[in-house]
Amino acid sequence: MRGLMMDAPLLISSLIRFAAQNHATTEIVSRSVEGPIHRYTYADAYGRICRLARALGRLGVTEGDRVATLAWNGYRHFELYFGVSGIGAVCHTINPRLFHDQIEYVVNHAEDKYVFLDLTFVPLLEKLAPVLKPVKGYVIMTDAGHMPETTLPGALCYETLLEAEVDTFEWPEFDENTASSLCYTSGTTGHPKGALYSHRSTLLHTFSICSADSLGLNCEDAMLPAVPMFHVNAWGIPYCCAMVGAKLVLPGPNYEGEAIYELLDGEQVTKTAGVPTIWLMLLDYMKKNGKKLPHLDSTVIGGSAVPRSMIEAFQDDFGVQVFHAWGMTEMSPVGTTGRLKGHMRNLPKEKRQDIQLKQGRGIYGVEMKIVDDDGAELPRDGKAFGELMVRGPWVASEYYKDDEGTKASFTGDGWFGTGDVSTLDEDGFMQIVDRSKDVIKSGGEWISSIDLENTAVGHPDIAEAAVIGVPHPKWDERPILVVVPVEGKEPAPDDIVAFLKDKVANWWLPDDVVFVDEIPHTATGKISKMQLRERLKDYKLPDQ
Ligand code: ADP
């Protein structure tokens, strides 16, 4: 027997229509690429999104067409999220930190019809335009007064396009499984791979991460996503803010500590989210300048593991609650968030922090299990570790036009293999031990490079640390610690190893400490172990 409820499709256009009707005067504040702070309301945004939808139609964009963006976190980018998906086209956010040949690859692979770009990226696209064959036109996200001289073929001005339209629009209704947006993973090996989200997957993800156990976002909040809108839709936060009517604060191109602080403070931001690297810059700025953030109540940190020293700094020095989260581009991206349970409230601080260091609990909608090399499920005891498998309505079922046939990650029985090696405990908390390809095997046992790195950055003279395994004739592999010292400091290797001694197992201690000026990163800001291993390929252990 079928239920007798309305079959209303879950569409992205409904989010912004809702925000305009119910939170008309709530603000969206952006640091613009042109310089000044721009502010307007959900009602203003809605009118302009209607104009954009009409302009897209006039440019010949129709359902299923891919429209790319190359842009920072700003109000025009926000408009594209809703305008492009709202008419049934696909918003393809390009990560400008990809290598140039990867940008060329993703535009051609996605067959983007138009590219909307911030002024910052005009020179980059002028260089690439001759090889971006499917692109019919380029729209520069600025006003007529700031339009640059450009060789981009048929360059159009965003504001001029919008001015020509009226600010009402009849949003089309279509199947909620229609594709809405497209994000490519940075792809450490092979080409980037496309995760193609649908309206349904996006809305279910939005409901879930707004909930109290996840971001806990509501209409009293001001939210600053310090994660770029070109990386997994800023973890879905723009959609969340529209769903609950939270004030949205967009930091534009500047992620320096001072610039982020100014917005957090000036706009009385209550919640924020971002990767550890951004927060290192902010904490450093606040400590050096004696600043506080009385309005900020929590930050969600993910993308890379959060070090203990960062949890302590936020919570103890600045009174900001930290929630550790984990996810992947293939998962829209959120899979876990780390709110502690009621029975953990009275645990000693150290024990609570131990739990916060884990990557969080699975949120409803994402099922997780860990498996051994033969695919057999391992116990949820916080000790056994194996590859983490996930499934759920906002997890990719395959990659977009997967011409490399990357089937390995998708099991025949409907699970996605994350490539992360982790434990799961009785309370549902997941802890990542390593990426499967970065794991260090020494004497038949595993050493967690992530754990070692995070312990090492607790040393006051270490700015950044990475651990890689190097071949060893007896032990197979031994870990070495690669360190970027804090500016002006020269910590001694023995002192660093002594610092680690009472914090990790004895046989985990690195065989050597190598000092470098810089550790290579991927386009999404993660340490690139592949490049690091390449740079250190001639390295020999001291006892060899
Ligand atoms: P990329 O485009 O670099 O793949 P993703 O955001 O999709 O970017 O990266 C997903 C990977 O990032 C995860 O599989 C995991 O290895 C790592 N990751 C994400 N969050 C965390 C976290 N909180 N702690 C440790 N690693 C994390």
Side-chain angles (χ1 to χ4, degrees):
M1 186 188 285
R2 281 179 67 86
L4 294 174
M5 306 308 278
M6 289 185 188
D7 190 12
L10 299 171
L11 298 179
I12 286 174
S13 54
S14 69
L15 288 173
I16 195 64
R17 224 172 29 210
F18 171 84
Q21 273 171 3
N22 297 281
H23 301 281
T25 58
T26 301
E27 279 184 316
I28 299 171
V29 180
S30 317
R31 189 187 293 285
S32 68
V33 177
E34 295 88 344
I37 298 289
H38 174 276
R39 54 181 78 233
Y40 70 174
T41 64
Y42 277 113
D44 299 330
Y46 182 71
R48 285 168 53 86
I49 292 166
C50 289
R51 285 170 183 259
L52 174 62
R54 287 175 181 275
L56 287 165
R58 210 176 287 277
L59 291 173
V61 175
T62 57
E63 189 171 323
D65 283 345
R66 272 76 64 206
V67 174
T69 64
L70 206 59
W72 301 107
N73 291 12
Y75 64 102
R76 295 188 182 109
H77 205 178
F78 178 84
E79 290 162 6
L80 282 155
Y81 267 40
F82 293 91
V84 173
S85 304
I87 63 165
V90 178
C91 183
H92 169 206
T93 49
I94 301 175
N95 184 339
R97 296 185 189 130
L98 291 175
F99 300 122
H100 291 186
D101 58 349
Q102 290 180 318
I103 296 183
E104 173 187 342
Y105 173 82
V106 298
V107 171
N108 285 310
H109 186 261
E111 299 170 85
D112 293 321
K113 202 166 185 176
Y114 281 90
V115 181
F116 284 68
L117 62 147
D118 269 338
L119 283 169
T120 322
F121 304 113
V122 171
L124 171 65
L125 280 179
E126 281 176 344
K127 244 185 266 157
L128 290 178
V131 291
L132 306 180
K133 300 287 181 228
V135 178
K136 281 205 163 72
Y138 295 87
V139 181
I140 302 181
M141 294 156 68
T142 192
D143 54 26
H146 289 88
M147 270 301 274
E149 291 266 338
T150 174
T151 58
L152 277 175
L156 298 165
C157 168
Y158 186 90
E159 291 301 331
T160 310
L161 285 180
L162 261 58
E163 269 160 30
E165 307 295 341
V166 296
D167 52 11
T168 54
F169 187 69
E170 217 32 68
W171 294 99
E173 278 221 353
F174 42 78
D175 179 357
E176 64 185 18
N177 289 299
T178 303
S180 59
S181 66
L182 175 63
C183 295
Y184 283 79
T185 65
S186 51
T188 41
T189 53
H191 287 307
K193 296 175 187 67
L196 183 62
Y197 312 120
S198 68
H199 286 256
R200 172 185 158 81
S201 72
T202 304
L203 265 86
L204 293 177
H205 178 258
T206 309
F207 276 121
S208 177
I209 68 169
C210 278
S211 69
D213 249 9
S214 195
L215 289 179
L217 203 64
N218 64 63
C219 61
E220 285 181 294
D221 282 315
M223 163 51 103
L224 183 150
V227 46
M229 289 170 74
F230 56 71
H231 187 208
V232 216
N233 294 329
W235 296 351
I237 291 168
Y239 304 118
C240 292
C241 287
M243 180 177 273
V244 301
K247 173 176 170 181
L248 179 60
V249 183
L250 298 169
N254 194 343
Y255 285 86
E256 297 296 323
E258 182 173 4
I260 294 288
Y261 175 83
E262 258 177 36
L263 285 177
L264 290 172
D265 183 48
E267 300 302 326
Q268 305 198 348
V269 169
T270 55
K271 294 196 169 86
T272 183
V275 297
T277 337
I278 301 289
W279 301 134
L280 273 182
M281 295 193 286
L282 175 75
L283 288 169
D284 187 50
Y285 170 79
M286 293 205 295
K287 278 182 200 154
K288 281 192 180 135
N289 296 281
K291 303 283 189 189
K292 293 275 179 210
L293 283 169
H295 301 287
L296 188 63
D297 62 58
S298 61
T299 175
V300 174
I301 312 181
S304 303
V306 184
R308 188 184 290 270
S309 51
M310 181 168 287
I311 298 180
E312 282 171 352
F314 267 121
Q315 295 184 170
D316 300 347
D317 302 345
F318 297 102
V320 176
Q321 182 67 36
V322 169
F323 296 113
H324 197 171
W326 165 89
M328 300 182 77
T329 303
E330 291 88 338
M331 299 176 68
S332 303
V334 182
T336 67
T337 34
R339 191 176 290 273
L340 300 199
K341 295 183 174 177
H343 73 82
M344 296 165 175
R345 196 173 295 141
N346 297 322
L347 289 175
K349 192 167 116 185
E350 178 98 1
K351 284 259 170 332
R352 286 170 60 86
Q353 275 183 7
D354 288 346
I355 306 172
Q356 286 188 290
L357 283 172
K358 297 192 173 197
Q359 271 69 16
R361 283 179 295 111
I363 52 178
Y364 174 77
V366 176
E367 231 185 302
M368 303 195 291
K369 66 174 180 181
I370 47 172
V371 297
D372 66 14
D373 290 347
D374 302 322
E377 187 166 351
L378 292 163
R380 295 164 192 257
D381 59 5
K383 294 188 189 77
F385 52 84
E387 184 175 4
L388 177 64
M389 314 292 293
V390 294
R391 66 177 177 192
W394 55 85
V395 178
S397 59
E398 60 183 281
Y399 290 117
Y400 175 58
K401 286 197 336 203
D402 186 10
D403 27 43
E404 286 173 13
T406 327
K407 298 290 178 231
S409 307
F410 300 97
T411 64
D413 60 350
W415 291 82
F416 171 70
T418 62
D420 285 329
V421 175
S422 78
T423 61
L424 285 173
D425 69 18
E426 298 84 346
D427 279 304
F429 279 83
M430 184 273 283
Q431 184 158 32
I432 294 190
V433 178
D434 240 317
R435 289 293 291 166
S436 53
K437 52 188 182 300
D438 296 335
V439 96
I440 300 166
K441 218 159 192 188
S442 185
E445 297 286 347
W446 283 10
I447 294 175
S448 164
S449 64
I450 294 190
D451 241 15
L452 263 179
E453 286 157 7
N454 282 341
T455 311
V457 291
H459 189 292
D461 296 346
I462 296 183
E464 195 173 16
V467 172
I468 53 169
V470 290
H472 188 281
K474 179 166 173 201
W475 301 112
D476 260 349
E477 273 190 320
R478 288 297 301 154
I480 59 164
L481 177 66
V482 184
V483 162
V484 181
V486 168
E487 222 180 291
K489 302 282 181 184
E490 288 179 14
D494 287 352
D495 170 56
I496 294 175
V497 176
F499 172 83
L500 296 173
K501 226 168 207 153
D502 59 343
K503 300 179 183 72
V504 300
N506 229 10
W507 56 277
W508 279 30
L509 289 173
D511 278 21
D512 197 8
V513 180
V514 176
F515 294 92
V516 293
D517 293 336
E518 179 218 13
I519 287 174
H521 290 96
T522 66
T524 52
K526 298 183 211 322
I527 292 172
S528 172
K529 297 275 173 86
M530 198 180 64
Q531 280 184 54
L532 192 60
R533 279 192 286 263
E534 178 58 29
R535 282 191 198 174
L536 293 172
K537 65 178 187 306
D538 298 326
Y539 169 86
K540 290 261 173 312
L541 283 168
D543 65 344
Q544 296 308 303

